[in-house]
Amino acid sequence: MNSGLVRGMAFNCHQLLAPAQECSDKMSAAAIGISDYWVGMGGEELKQNCMEWIKKMNQFKAAIAQIETEMMNYANKLQLEEEAEAARVKEAQRQAAEQAAAAAAAAKMTGKTK
């Protein structure tokens, strides 16, 4: 798994937040808009159900935001590891090139070429 893949998954989590907020906002507006007439006819129970649903939706949003944050932190950690590995590979290639150049120079000095 690489940092780009983890960032992509975090972005997918992030995309869930806006629709969840919109849904919660609409449910809040609907619950607030229940008139006294409807409260007297069982609307209070509906209103309580709506409020419980809104509470659960807010918990869902918080959980998704937490997952997104943790995934981004992990992606950052992976990116640092990837950069360190790339630096190790580059250094190994540089050392190999230096050794090859030194071997070629030594061979040239002794008159032996491969």
Side-chain angles (χ1 to χ4, degrees):
M1 183 167 293
N2 64 40
S3 61
L5 180 60
V6 175
R7 285 185 201 289
M9 289 188 294
F11 179 73
N12 289 341
C13 287
H14 183 77
Q15 288 181 309
L16 294 172
L17 294 176
Q21 182 64 51
E22 182 182 353
C23 196
S24 182
D25 290 347
K26 286 180 179 180
M27 184 64 79
S28 295
I32 291 170
I34 295 176
S35 69
D36 290 339
Y37 172 79
W38 290 111
V39 168
M41 296 186 68
E44 184 61 32
E45 183 180 349
L46 173 63
K47 185 174 183 177
Q48 291 303 318
N49 288 339
C50 289
M51 297 309 286
E52 183 63 28
W53 186 89
I54 292 165
K55 179 181 170 185
K56 288 179 181 180
M57 182 57 72
N58 289 338
Q59 291 170 342
F60 170 76
K61 290 185 305 182
I64 292 296
Q66 181 65 33
I67 291 168
E68 177 189 14
T69 298
E70 290 175 11
M71 290 180 82
M72 289 303 291
N73 289 339
Y74 184 58
N76 291 339
K77 178 184 172 190
L78 285 176
Q79 184 174 3
L80 291 174
E81 291 173 4
E82 291 162 359
E83 290 169 355
E85 179 60 22
R88 280 190 293 275
V89 168
K90 187 175 181 180
E91 178 60 19
Q93 289 172 339
R94 185 192 64 74
Q95 288 178 2
E98 281 182 3
Q99 289 173 353
K108 187 175 183 182
M109 291 176 81
T110 62
K112 298 178 183 176
T113 56
K114 290 187 179 182

XYZ file of all heavy atoms in Angstrom:
859
model
N 0.858 -1.160 0.000
C 0.000 0.000 0.000
C 0.906 1.225 0.000
O 1.885 1.273 0.727
C -0.890 -0.022 1.239
C -1.868 1.118 1.274
S -3.186 0.946 2.494
C -4.082 -0.425 1.849
N 0.562 2.199 -0.819
C 1.385 3.410 -0.867
C 0.593 4.621 -0.383
O -0.623 4.561 -0.203
C 1.960 3.625 -2.273
C 0.880 3.880 -3.304
O -0.094 4.580 -3.058
N 1.050 3.309 -4.486
N 1.298 5.717 -0.200
C 0.673 6.923 0.367
C -0.431 7.471 -0.532
O -1.451 7.950 -0.037
C 1.726 7.992 0.627
O 2.370 8.381 -0.576
N -0.263 7.375 -1.840
C -1.289 7.883 -2.754
C -2.596 7.118 -2.634
O -3.680 7.712 -2.650
N -2.491 5.808 -2.492
C -3.689 4.977 -2.331
C -4.411 5.314 -1.026
O -5.636 5.457 -0.999
C -3.301 3.499 -2.361
C -4.434 2.490 -2.212
C -5.458 2.641 -3.331
C -3.872 1.074 -2.219
N -3.652 5.490 0.040
C -4.254 5.826 1.337
C -4.905 7.209 1.276
O -6.007 7.411 1.785
C -3.213 5.744 2.473
C -3.798 6.216 3.793
C -2.697 4.315 2.604
N -4.246 8.154 0.626
C -4.850 9.498 0.473
C -6.160 9.414 -0.324
O -7.118 10.105 -0.024
C -3.881 10.441 -0.231
C -2.758 10.900 0.642
C -1.879 11.940 -0.055
N -0.572 12.021 0.539
C -0.295 12.522 1.719
N -1.253 13.016 2.452
N 0.931 12.559 2.181
N -6.182 8.561 -1.342
C -7.403 8.376 -2.124
C -8.544 7.832 -1.286
O -9.684 8.282 -1.394
N -8.234 6.867 -0.418
C -9.271 6.318 0.461
C -9.741 7.369 1.467
O -10.930 7.448 1.777
C -8.754 5.069 1.172
C -8.599 3.883 0.228
S -8.196 2.317 1.043
C -6.581 2.641 1.693
N -8.813 8.186 1.955
C -9.192 9.263 2.876
C -10.109 10.261 2.171
O -11.088 10.742 2.746
C -7.946 9.970 3.414
N -9.811 10.539 0.904
C -10.654 11.450 0.134
C -12.062 10.874 -0.023
O -13.053 11.600 0.071
C -10.030 11.731 -1.238
C -10.858 12.645 -2.089
C -10.948 13.993 -1.810
C -11.557 12.137 -3.175
C -11.728 14.838 -2.594
C -12.335 12.974 -3.965
C -12.414 14.328 -3.673
N -12.146 9.554 -0.242
C -13.462 8.916 -0.349
C -14.246 9.076 0.949
O -15.458 9.311 0.918
C -13.319 7.433 -0.702
C -12.843 7.224 -2.121
O -12.930 8.113 -2.964
N -12.309 6.057 -2.389
N -13.562 8.955 2.079
C -14.224 9.190 3.371
C -14.715 10.636 3.451
O -15.842 10.894 3.878
C -13.268 8.918 4.533
S -12.915 7.182 4.814
N -13.849 11.547 3.043
C -14.197 12.967 3.107
C -15.452 13.276 2.287
O -16.273 14.103 2.692
C -13.017 13.815 2.614
C -13.263 15.278 2.716
N -13.184 15.959 3.911
C -13.623 16.193 1.784
C -13.473 17.227 3.705
N -13.742 17.395 2.429
N -15.609 12.590 1.172
C -16.770 12.830 0.312
C -18.085 12.435 0.999
O -19.147 12.884 0.578
C -16.623 12.087 -1.007
C -15.577 12.708 -1.905
C -15.458 11.986 -3.223
O -15.322 10.763 -3.258
N -15.506 12.735 -4.302
N -18.029 11.613 2.025
C -19.236 11.223 2.752
C -19.728 12.325 3.688
O -20.904 12.351 4.054
C -18.972 9.963 3.586
C -18.680 8.685 2.819
C -18.258 7.592 3.794
C -19.882 8.252 2.009
N -18.849 13.232 4.068
C -19.198 14.220 5.088
C -20.231 15.243 4.619
O -21.164 15.553 5.360
C -17.938 14.927 5.590
C -16.961 14.034 6.352
C -15.699 14.805 6.709
C -17.608 13.451 7.588
N -20.090 15.767 3.423
C -21.021 16.796 2.944
C -22.453 16.267 2.814
O -23.386 16.906 3.323
C -20.535 17.398 1.632
N -22.672 15.110 2.179
C -24.045 14.603 2.115
C -24.613 14.265 3.495
O -25.803 14.478 3.747
C -23.944 13.336 1.260
C -22.663 13.436 0.538
C -21.773 14.303 1.367
N -23.771 13.771 4.385
C -24.237 13.461 5.740
C -24.650 14.740 6.461
O -25.678 14.773 7.152
C -23.153 12.729 6.530
N -23.871 15.804 6.288
C -24.219 17.089 6.915
C -25.498 17.642 6.324
O -26.367 18.135 7.048
C -23.075 18.097 6.740
C -23.347 19.430 7.403
C -23.471 19.310 8.905
O -22.618 18.729 9.551
N -24.537 19.844 9.476
N -25.634 17.567 5.020
C -26.847 18.062 4.359
C -28.076 17.308 4.853
O -29.121 17.911 5.152
C -26.715 17.918 2.842
C -27.911 18.440 2.082
C -27.770 18.235 0.579
O -26.705 17.821 0.096
O -28.775 18.495 -0.117
N -27.961 16.014 4.957
C -29.066 15.190 5.436
C -29.414 15.550 6.876
O -30.586 15.688 7.237
C -28.666 13.728 5.319
S -30.038 12.592 5.428
N -28.403 15.722 7.700
C -28.624 16.103 9.094
C -29.290 17.470 9.191
O -30.217 17.672 9.989
C -27.284 16.115 9.836
O -27.468 16.428 11.193
N -28.837 18.403 8.363
C -29.423 19.754 8.362
C -30.897 19.712 7.963
O -31.734 20.385 8.572
C -28.664 20.665 7.400
C -27.263 21.000 7.888
O -26.957 20.744 9.078
O -26.469 21.498 7.064
N -31.205 18.919 6.942
C -32.600 18.817 6.490
C -33.476 18.177 7.570
O -34.610 18.609 7.795
C -32.684 18.015 5.194
C -32.193 18.785 3.988
C -32.299 17.957 2.717
C -31.824 18.761 1.520
N -31.913 17.997 0.277
N -32.946 17.160 8.230
C -33.699 16.493 9.289
C -33.903 17.456 10.463
O -34.988 17.505 11.050
C -32.971 15.236 9.756
C -33.740 14.430 10.779
S -35.290 13.728 10.176
C -34.697 12.337 9.273
N -32.897 18.254 10.782
C -33.020 19.244 11.859
C -34.100 20.266 11.529
O -34.929 20.609 12.378
C -31.687 19.970 12.085
O -30.715 19.086 12.551
N -34.081 20.742 10.306
C -35.083 21.731 9.887
C -36.481 21.128 9.939
O -37.436 21.786 10.372
C -34.772 22.231 8.483
N -36.593 19.877 9.538
C -37.902 19.223 9.557
C -38.377 19.025 10.995
O -39.561 19.245 11.300
C -37.831 17.876 8.838
N -37.476 18.627 11.887
C -37.857 18.397 13.284
C -38.262 19.705 13.961
O -39.224 19.737 14.733
C -36.717 17.734 14.047
N -37.546 20.766 13.653
C -37.865 22.072 14.236
C -39.197 22.580 13.687
O -39.967 23.234 14.393
C -36.730 23.084 13.958
C -35.497 22.682 14.763
C -37.149 24.497 14.288
C -34.247 23.438 14.398
N -39.492 22.214 12.443
C -40.692 22.704 11.789
C -41.968 21.965 12.157
O -43.044 22.299 11.653
N -41.909 20.965 13.033
C -43.125 20.237 13.423
C -43.981 21.156 14.288
O -43.558 21.616 15.334
C -42.781 18.929 14.175
C -42.041 17.976 13.233
C -44.039 18.276 14.728
C -41.558 16.697 13.890
N -45.154 21.435 13.815
C -46.027 22.386 14.520
C -46.663 21.746 15.750
O -46.661 20.532 15.928
C -47.122 22.882 13.571
O -48.015 21.814 13.301
N -47.197 22.598 16.615
C -47.870 22.121 17.834
C -49.023 21.184 17.486
O -49.306 20.245 18.227
C -48.399 23.314 18.643
C -47.270 24.107 19.271
O -46.158 23.541 19.420
O -47.489 25.281 19.617
N -49.668 21.433 16.366
C -50.775 20.574 15.945
C -50.288 19.136 15.785
O -50.889 18.194 16.276
C -51.362 21.094 14.625
C -52.386 20.166 14.020
C -53.696 20.146 14.518
C -52.064 19.323 12.965
C -54.647 19.289 13.963
C -53.000 18.473 12.409
C -54.296 18.460 12.917
O -55.230 17.615 12.373
N -49.167 18.979 15.078
C -48.636 17.640 14.835
C -48.027 17.037 16.096
O -48.060 15.826 16.281
C -47.616 17.657 13.700
C -48.275 17.909 12.377
C -48.172 19.012 11.611
C -49.175 17.028 11.714
N -48.953 18.890 10.486
C -49.582 17.673 10.516
C -49.706 15.772 11.978
C -50.458 17.100 9.615
C -50.582 15.198 11.075
C -50.944 15.863 9.908
N -47.506 17.887 16.976
C -46.966 17.388 18.237
C -48.078 16.709 19.031
O -47.904 15.633 19.590
C -46.300 18.520 19.060
C -45.995 18.062 20.478
C -45.030 18.994 18.365
N -49.258 17.338 19.029
C -50.400 16.777 19.740
C -50.896 15.483 19.132
O -51.569 14.688 19.795
N -50.580 15.212 17.879
C -51.062 14.006 17.206
C -49.941 12.970 17.030
O -49.968 12.184 16.093
C -51.645 14.387 15.844
C -52.866 15.286 15.976
S -53.661 15.603 14.406
C -54.298 13.991 14.011
N -48.993 12.973 17.921
C -47.907 11.989 17.855
C -46.647 12.529 17.222
O -45.661 11.799 17.081
N -46.684 13.755 16.851
C -45.510 14.365 16.226
C -44.333 14.481 17.180
O -43.185 14.531 16.745
N -44.615 14.533 18.487
C -43.522 14.627 19.461
C -42.631 13.386 19.385
O -41.417 13.483 19.443
C -44.080 14.805 20.875
C -43.003 15.010 21.929
C -42.149 16.258 21.704
O -42.662 17.267 21.164
O -40.967 16.203 22.058
N -43.279 12.224 19.227
C -42.509 10.989 19.095
C -41.655 11.031 17.822
O -40.489 10.645 17.826
C -43.437 9.779 19.069
C -42.692 8.463 18.999
C -43.634 7.260 18.986
O -44.843 7.417 19.236
O -43.128 6.172 18.690
N -42.265 11.516 16.741
C -41.524 11.660 15.495
C -40.361 12.622 15.686
O -39.242 12.356 15.248
C -42.443 12.161 14.378
C -41.750 12.509 13.060
C -41.093 11.270 12.451
C -42.726 13.137 12.093
N -40.641 13.714 16.374
C -39.595 14.706 16.609
C -38.455 14.084 17.419
O -37.276 14.288 17.102
C -40.169 15.916 17.339
C -39.192 17.049 17.515
C -39.873 18.262 18.121
C -38.929 19.428 18.232
N -39.600 20.629 18.749
N -38.773 13.312 18.440
C -37.741 12.652 19.247
C -36.952 11.651 18.402
O -35.733 11.549 18.531
C -38.367 11.958 20.465
C -38.905 12.915 21.498
C -37.841 13.878 22.005
O -36.704 13.499 22.259
N -38.211 15.140 22.114
N -37.661 10.921 17.539
C -36.981 9.985 16.643
C -36.029 10.728 15.703
O -34.917 10.269 15.439
C -37.985 9.159 15.843
C -38.703 8.140 16.692
O -38.235 7.753 17.751
N -39.867 7.709 16.239
N -36.489 11.855 15.209
C -35.646 12.676 14.334
C -34.408 13.158 15.085
O -33.289 13.106 14.557
C -36.420 13.879 13.797
S -37.681 13.464 12.577
N -34.607 13.617 16.307
C -33.479 14.123 17.089
C -32.474 12.995 17.383
O -31.266 13.218 17.348
C -33.962 14.771 18.387
C -34.859 15.997 18.164
S -34.171 17.226 17.026
C -32.929 17.951 18.055
N -32.967 11.800 17.646
C -32.087 10.659 17.886
C -31.318 10.319 16.608
O -30.118 10.030 16.653
C -32.905 9.449 18.357
C -32.073 8.240 18.702
C -31.111 8.457 19.858
O -31.377 9.287 20.747
O -30.068 7.780 19.867
N -32.004 10.391 15.480
C -31.360 10.122 14.204
C -30.275 11.161 13.937
O -29.178 10.823 13.488
C -32.411 10.131 13.092
C -31.851 9.724 11.770
C -31.767 8.468 11.263
C -31.279 10.596 10.788
N -31.177 8.502 10.030
C -30.873 9.789 9.712
C -31.079 11.962 10.716
C -30.262 10.319 8.578
C -30.468 12.494 9.595
C -30.078 11.675 8.530
N -30.567 12.419 14.208
C -29.593 13.502 14.013
C -28.370 13.260 14.895
O -27.227 13.423 14.451
C -30.233 14.873 14.309
C -31.287 15.186 13.241
C -29.188 15.971 14.386
C -32.223 16.324 13.616
N -28.606 12.842 16.128
C -27.500 12.550 17.041
C -26.620 11.430 16.465
O -25.389 11.528 16.468
C -28.053 12.135 18.407
C -27.006 11.781 19.417
C -27.664 11.366 20.731
C -26.640 10.786 21.682
N -27.258 10.260 22.900
N -27.243 10.388 15.942
C -26.490 9.284 15.352
C -25.744 9.726 14.097
O -24.614 9.293 13.852
C -27.417 8.106 15.049
C -27.874 7.399 16.308
C -28.806 6.244 16.003
C -29.258 5.598 17.315
N -30.160 4.484 17.092
N -26.366 10.575 13.308
C -25.711 11.087 12.103
C -24.489 11.925 12.493
O -23.431 11.829 11.854
C -26.678 11.923 11.260
C -26.065 12.447 9.970
S -25.404 11.183 8.862
C -26.898 10.458 8.266
N -24.596 12.706 13.548
C -23.458 13.496 14.010
C -22.333 12.587 14.516
O -21.153 12.873 14.295
C -23.886 14.487 15.093
C -24.725 15.613 14.514
O -24.671 15.904 13.322
N -25.522 16.239 15.354
N -22.685 11.485 15.154
C -21.680 10.519 15.594
C -21.007 9.874 14.379
O -19.790 9.659 14.375
C -22.313 9.444 16.485
C -22.756 9.958 17.833
C -23.595 8.939 18.604
O -24.128 7.989 18.036
N -23.719 9.162 19.900
N -21.799 9.580 13.365
C -21.271 9.013 12.126
C -20.283 9.980 11.484
O -19.182 9.578 11.079
C -22.425 8.704 11.168
C -21.995 8.350 9.777
C -21.467 7.100 9.497
C -22.127 9.266 8.738
C -21.062 6.772 8.202
C -21.734 8.941 7.452
C -21.202 7.694 7.180
N -20.661 11.246 11.396
C -19.778 12.250 10.793
C -18.477 12.357 11.580
O -17.398 12.454 10.988
C -20.464 13.611 10.717
C -21.594 13.672 9.716
C -22.163 15.073 9.575
C -22.596 15.602 10.913
N -23.189 16.919 10.888
N -18.577 12.339 12.904
C -17.372 12.424 13.736
C -16.474 11.206 13.508
O -15.246 11.335 13.424
C -17.754 12.550 15.206
N -17.083 10.039 13.398
C -16.302 8.817 13.163
C -15.617 8.866 11.796
O -14.435 8.517 11.676
C -17.206 7.587 13.262
N -16.330 9.309 10.786
C -15.749 9.413 9.440
C -14.609 10.432 9.441
O -13.549 10.193 8.857
C -16.827 9.799 8.396
C -17.822 8.651 8.210
C -16.206 10.187 7.060
C -17.220 7.380 7.638
N -14.812 11.562 10.093
C -13.758 12.581 10.165
C -12.527 12.028 10.879
O -11.387 12.290 10.462
C -14.274 13.831 10.862
N -12.733 11.260 11.928
C -11.618 10.653 12.657
C -10.871 9.648 11.779
O -9.641 9.636 11.742
C -12.115 9.971 13.936
C -11.023 9.327 14.761
C -10.038 10.332 15.317
O -10.392 11.456 15.643
N -8.785 9.938 15.427
N -11.619 8.834 11.042
C -10.995 7.864 10.132
C -10.188 8.603 9.063
O -9.056 8.218 8.748
C -12.057 6.946 9.493
C -12.649 6.011 10.555
C -11.481 6.156 8.319
C -13.884 5.265 10.112
N -10.782 9.664 8.520
C -10.085 10.447 7.500
C -8.774 11.001 8.056
O -7.721 10.912 7.404
C -10.978 11.584 7.002
C -10.296 12.478 5.995
C -11.095 13.716 5.652
O -12.062 14.054 6.360
O -10.730 14.369 4.663
N -8.815 11.545 9.252
C -7.619 12.110 9.876
C -6.556 11.037 10.082
O -5.374 11.242 9.766
C -7.979 12.769 11.226
O -8.894 13.837 10.975
C -6.754 13.293 11.947
N -6.965 9.893 10.601
C -6.014 8.808 10.830
C -5.422 8.293 9.521
O -4.224 7.979 9.455
C -6.686 7.674 11.606
C -6.987 8.054 13.042
C -7.758 6.994 13.805
O -7.910 5.853 13.307
O -8.214 7.304 14.915
N -6.235 8.234 8.482
C -5.735 7.779 7.181
C -4.733 8.783 6.613
O -3.711 8.386 6.036
C -6.892 7.546 6.213
C -7.722 6.337 6.595
S -9.089 6.063 5.471
C -8.230 5.189 4.172
N -5.006 10.063 6.769
C -4.074 11.081 6.276
C -2.761 11.025 7.061
O -1.681 11.169 6.471
C -4.698 12.476 6.346
C -5.807 12.687 5.316
S -5.261 12.421 3.603
C -4.191 13.824 3.381
N -2.845 10.807 8.368
C -1.626 10.659 9.162
C -0.819 9.456 8.692
O 0.408 9.524 8.576
C -1.964 10.529 10.653
C -2.468 11.826 11.248
O -2.233 12.909 10.720
N -3.169 11.722 12.360
N -1.509 8.356 8.413
C -0.838 7.158 7.917
C -0.229 7.420 6.537
O 0.890 6.990 6.252
C -1.804 5.972 7.886
C -1.165 4.677 7.467
C -0.091 4.150 8.175
C -1.616 3.986 6.351
C 0.507 2.955 7.782
C -1.018 2.794 5.969
C 0.044 2.284 6.684
O 0.633 1.115 6.289
N -0.956 8.131 5.683
C -0.442 8.466 4.351
C 0.825 9.315 4.474
O 1.796 9.101 3.729
C -1.497 9.199 3.532
N 0.832 10.242 5.415
C 2.025 11.069 5.630
C 3.203 10.205 6.083
O 4.331 10.397 5.624
C 1.743 12.168 6.657
C 0.784 13.216 6.131
O 0.611 13.373 4.920
N 0.142 13.928 7.023
N 2.936 9.265 6.981
C 3.982 8.352 7.455
C 4.517 7.520 6.290
O 5.735 7.378 6.126
C 3.423 7.440 8.545
C 4.400 6.434 9.062
C 3.757 5.504 10.076
C 4.717 4.375 10.426
N 4.094 3.327 11.201
N 3.604 6.984 5.477
C 4.031 6.193 4.312
C 4.857 7.036 3.343
O 5.850 6.561 2.791
C 2.815 5.615 3.585
C 2.118 4.436 4.239
C 0.876 4.054 3.445
C 3.053 3.247 4.360
N 4.438 8.278 3.149
C 5.161 9.148 2.221
C 6.592 9.376 2.706
O 7.538 9.346 1.909
C 4.443 10.486 2.051
C 5.110 11.379 1.027
C 4.336 12.653 0.751
O 3.308 12.910 1.366
N 4.824 13.440 -0.167
N 6.755 9.584 4.013
C 8.108 9.751 4.550
C 8.941 8.491 4.331
O 10.122 8.572 3.959
C 8.044 10.093 6.044
C 7.497 11.477 6.395
C 7.349 11.625 7.910
C 8.376 12.572 5.819
N 8.326 7.326 4.540
C 9.033 6.057 4.302
C 9.383 5.891 2.827
O 10.483 5.424 2.488
C 8.180 4.887 4.786
C 8.022 4.820 6.295
C 7.036 3.762 6.761
O 6.497 3.001 5.922
O 6.801 3.695 7.982
N 8.440 6.277 1.947
C 8.690 6.175 0.506
C 9.838 7.101 0.088
O 10.698 6.716 -0.717
C 7.419 6.520 -0.273
C 6.322 5.494 -0.132
C 4.932 6.002 -0.519
O 4.793 7.184 -0.899
O 3.994 5.203 -0.425
N 9.851 8.312 0.633
C 10.924 9.263 0.312
C 12.266 8.756 0.833
O 13.290 8.884 0.148
C 10.596 10.641 0.881
C 9.451 11.324 0.157
C 8.931 12.558 0.870
O 9.378 12.870 1.994
O 8.050 13.231 0.294
N 12.271 8.171 2.032
C 13.510 7.628 2.586
C 14.004 6.465 1.728
O 15.212 6.347 1.458
C 13.287 7.177 4.031
N 13.092 5.603 1.285
C 13.471 4.478 0.428
C 14.016 4.986 -0.908
O 15.016 4.459 -1.410
C 12.282 3.542 0.197
C 12.577 2.362 -0.697
C 13.666 1.433 -0.188
O 13.951 1.415 1.023
O 14.248 0.710 -1.011
N 13.379 5.986 -1.471
C 13.856 6.552 -2.744
C 15.258 7.142 -2.563
O 16.118 6.985 -3.441
C 12.882 7.615 -3.250
N 15.494 7.790 -1.429
C 16.825 8.346 -1.154
C 17.851 7.228 -1.000
O 18.991 7.346 -1.492
C 16.786 9.218 0.095
N 17.473 6.120 -0.336
C 18.388 4.978 -0.189
C 18.735 4.389 -1.561
O 19.899 4.079 -1.842
C 17.767 3.899 0.709
C 17.879 4.201 2.186
C 17.488 3.004 3.041
N 16.078 2.642 2.943
C 15.105 3.180 3.653
N 15.371 4.129 4.526
N 13.865 2.780 3.482
N 17.726 4.237 -2.410
C 17.947 3.686 -3.752
C 18.859 4.617 -4.552
O 19.808 4.161 -5.215
C 16.602 3.453 -4.485
C 16.806 3.178 -5.960
C 15.838 2.323 -3.818
N 18.599 5.902 -4.479
C 19.414 6.874 -5.213
C 20.857 6.836 -4.725
O 21.794 6.867 -5.529
C 18.824 8.283 -5.047
C 19.491 9.326 -5.894
C 18.779 10.665 -5.778
C 19.444 11.694 -6.654
N 18.780 13.002 -6.578
N 21.034 6.747 -3.413
C 22.391 6.673 -2.855
C 23.081 5.381 -3.289
O 24.265 5.392 -3.645
C 22.349 6.779 -1.337
C 23.694 6.678 -0.658
C 24.702 7.750 -1.059
O 24.305 8.810 -1.599
O 25.911 7.524 -0.834
N 22.358 4.274 -3.281
C 22.941 2.999 -3.715
C 23.342 3.070 -5.186
O 24.419 2.569 -5.577
C 21.949 1.861 -3.479
N 22.519 3.712 -6.008
C 22.849 3.865 -7.424
C 24.079 4.757 -7.596
O 24.944 4.489 -8.433
C 21.653 4.446 -8.184
C 20.507 3.481 -8.323
C 19.247 4.131 -8.904
O 19.077 5.348 -8.854
N 18.359 3.299 -9.444
N 24.158 5.813 -6.800
C 25.307 6.722 -6.871
C 26.582 5.970 -6.492
O 27.611 6.074 -7.170
C 25.093 7.926 -5.942
C 26.200 8.984 -6.060
C 26.141 10.010 -4.940
N 26.383 9.451 -3.622
C 27.580 9.067 -3.150
N 28.649 9.158 -3.906
N 27.709 8.579 -1.926
N 26.503 5.189 -5.400
C 27.672 4.432 -4.970
C 28.073 3.393 -6.012
O 29.274 3.193 -6.274
C 27.405 3.764 -3.617
C 27.360 4.744 -2.468
C 27.036 4.073 -1.137
O 26.875 2.863 -1.072
N 26.952 4.880 -0.087
N 27.099 2.731 -6.611
C 27.395 1.742 -7.654
C 28.064 2.417 -8.846
O 29.020 1.874 -9.429
C 26.116 1.022 -8.080
N 27.580 3.600 -9.222
C 28.181 4.324 -10.343
C 29.608 4.739 -10.003
O 30.509 4.639 -10.853
C 27.334 5.548 -10.688
N 29.847 5.181 -8.771
C 31.201 5.558 -8.345
C 32.133 4.346 -8.378
O 33.271 4.438 -8.818
C 31.176 6.143 -6.927
C 30.720 7.572 -6.857
C 30.757 8.129 -5.425
O 31.197 7.415 -4.486
O 30.352 9.287 -5.256
N 31.625 3.192 -7.903
C 32.437 1.987 -7.894
C 32.759 1.536 -9.318
O 33.880 1.113 -9.617
C 31.734 0.870 -7.120
C 31.688 1.113 -5.625
C 30.854 0.081 -4.882
O 30.187 -0.752 -5.499
N 30.874 0.147 -3.557
N 31.770 1.658 -10.198
C 31.995 1.278 -11.599
C 33.018 2.210 -12.236
O 33.910 1.762 -12.979
C 30.685 1.300 -12.374
N 32.914 3.499 -11.940
C 33.867 4.464 -12.487
C 35.259 4.201 -11.934
O 36.268 4.277 -12.671
C 33.420 5.886 -12.167
N 35.343 3.903 -10.636
C 36.638 3.611 -10.024
C 37.239 2.341 -10.618
O 38.458 2.269 -10.890
C 36.487 3.479 -8.507
N 36.395 1.329 -10.831
C 36.886 0.081 -11.427
C 37.360 0.328 -12.852
O 38.395 -0.215 -13.281
C 35.790 -0.980 -11.394
N 36.615 1.144 -13.590
C 37.013 1.450 -14.973
C 38.322 2.221 -14.983
O 39.208 1.967 -15.819
C 35.913 2.238 -15.669
N 38.454 3.167 -14.039
C 39.693 3.947 -13.965
C 40.868 3.051 -13.588
O 41.972 3.175 -14.153
C 39.542 5.079 -12.963
N 40.645 2.134 -12.654
C 41.713 1.211 -12.247
C 42.098 0.302 -13.399
O 43.289 0.030 -13.626
C 41.267 0.398 -11.038
N 41.120 -0.176 -14.130
C 41.396 -1.052 -15.271
C 42.172 -0.289 -16.342
O 43.078 -0.841 -16.970
C 40.099 -1.600 -15.838
N 41.845 0.959 -16.537
C 42.516 1.776 -17.552
C 43.974 2.012 -17.155
O 44.872 1.993 -18.011
C 41.773 3.101 -17.719
C 42.276 3.938 -18.842
C 41.410 5.169 -19.012
C 41.874 5.987 -20.203
N 41.091 7.204 -20.380
N 44.180 2.207 -15.861
C 45.530 2.460 -15.376
C 46.415 1.229 -15.528
O 47.623 1.324 -15.773
C 45.526 2.916 -13.913
C 44.928 4.306 -13.732
S 44.827 4.758 -12.001
C 46.503 5.286 -11.733
N 45.834 0.066 -15.355
C 46.607 -1.175 -15.477
C 46.638 -1.675 -16.920
O 47.300 -2.666 -17.206
C 46.051 -2.266 -14.557
O 44.705 -2.562 -14.943
C 46.114 -1.855 -13.109
N 45.860 -1.018 -17.758
C 45.858 -1.406 -19.159
C 44.897 -2.552 -19.439
O 44.878 -3.074 -20.541
N 44.157 -2.962 -18.473
C 43.194 -4.053 -18.671
C 41.810 -3.455 -18.785
O 41.369 -2.746 -17.900
C 43.234 -5.034 -17.502
C 44.543 -5.719 -17.318
C 44.513 -6.621 -16.125
C 45.861 -7.280 -15.889
N 45.869 -8.083 -14.674
N 41.151 -3.751 -19.858
C 39.778 -3.291 -20.032
C 38.887 -4.491 -20.224
O 39.302 -5.507 -20.751
C 39.631 -2.341 -21.252
O 40.108 -3.026 -22.396
C 40.405 -1.063 -21.028
N 37.715 -4.350 -19.807
C 36.764 -5.448 -19.941
C 35.890 -5.230 -21.130
O 35.574 -4.213 -21.563
C 35.892 -5.579 -18.687
C 36.680 -6.078 -17.529
C 35.747 -6.342 -16.370
C 36.504 -6.867 -15.179
N 35.700 -7.184 -14.060
